[in-house]
Every structure is written in structure tokens, then in C-alpha cells.
Amino acid sequence: MSDCLFCRIVVGEIPADIVLRNDDVVAFRDINPQAPTHVLVIPTRHFATLQELSAQAPELTARLVDGAATVAADAGLGDAYRLVFNTGEAVGQSVFHVHGHVLGGREFTWPPG
Ligand code: 5GP
Ligand code: ZN
């Protein structure tokens, strides 16, 4: 059994509120949402970080970003959403299976904290 939390969500060992699934990508609602829409988009294959994913699987990286755009469109966000990849513990990555946060439905400030 994988000890990766998000790999376990991919195979259904841990329940999640899944909003999009295909062979390459799974998207599910964040358990601790920071905005009215807060969905995590992940590749079904395990890569720890965006660095690893983009270096080893550029086409899958594109499909992941495409999945994020689909999630945003399905949530009715139009082109007003934020896509965040925390990359590295120092900037807040806590789960080391690469994931994009699709955030929307409220005002955002810049720069981020
Ligand atoms: P990170 O801090 O790595 O960028 O984001 C990890 C995200 O995963 C956090 O926003 C956290 O709320 C979310 N998360 C952690 N454990 C679970 C879980 O078991 N289920 C779901 N749906 N989200 C989780
Ligand atoms: Zn994993």
C-alpha cells in the first residue's frame, strides 16, 4: 500500500469529493477550503513536486493545467481564478504528491502571504 495520501485518494482508499477524473488527472475538493471554490488537481501518477513532474512528464504537466482550467470552468469561475502550486516545504507544500490548488469565488490580494 502506498503511504502517499494523494495516491490513496486516486485509488479510492481514502474518500474524497471528486469533481473531475480521467486517466491522467484527478481533481477533488480541499478538506480545508480557503475560498468558496478550492479544488486540488493532481496527476494520477506519483510525482513529488512540480519540478519533478515538469522535468519528467511535460505532456502530463500540460494535461494537469488543462484539468485545472476545466475545474475552474465547471465551477463557473470563467477566467477569474488562481492556480497555485506550492513547491517545497519552505513555501508551504505539505503533501508531496504534486497538486495545483484551483481557488476562486472571492477577492484575492497580491502579493500572496
Ligand atoms: P499544500 O500545503 O501541500 O500546498 O496543500 C495540501 C492541501 O491538501 C491542503 O490545502 C490541505 O487542506 C489538503 N489536504 C490534506 N489532507 C487532505 C485530505 O485527506 N483530503 C483532502 N481532500 N484534502 C487534504
Ligand atoms: Zn502520490
Side-chain angles (χ1 to χ4, degrees), residues 19-20 22 41 63-76 81 102:
V19 299
L20 177 78
N22 58 43
V41 185
R63 290 190 202 116
L64 187 68
V65 173
D66 199 45
T70 300
V71 166
D74 290 352
Y81 64 94
V102 178

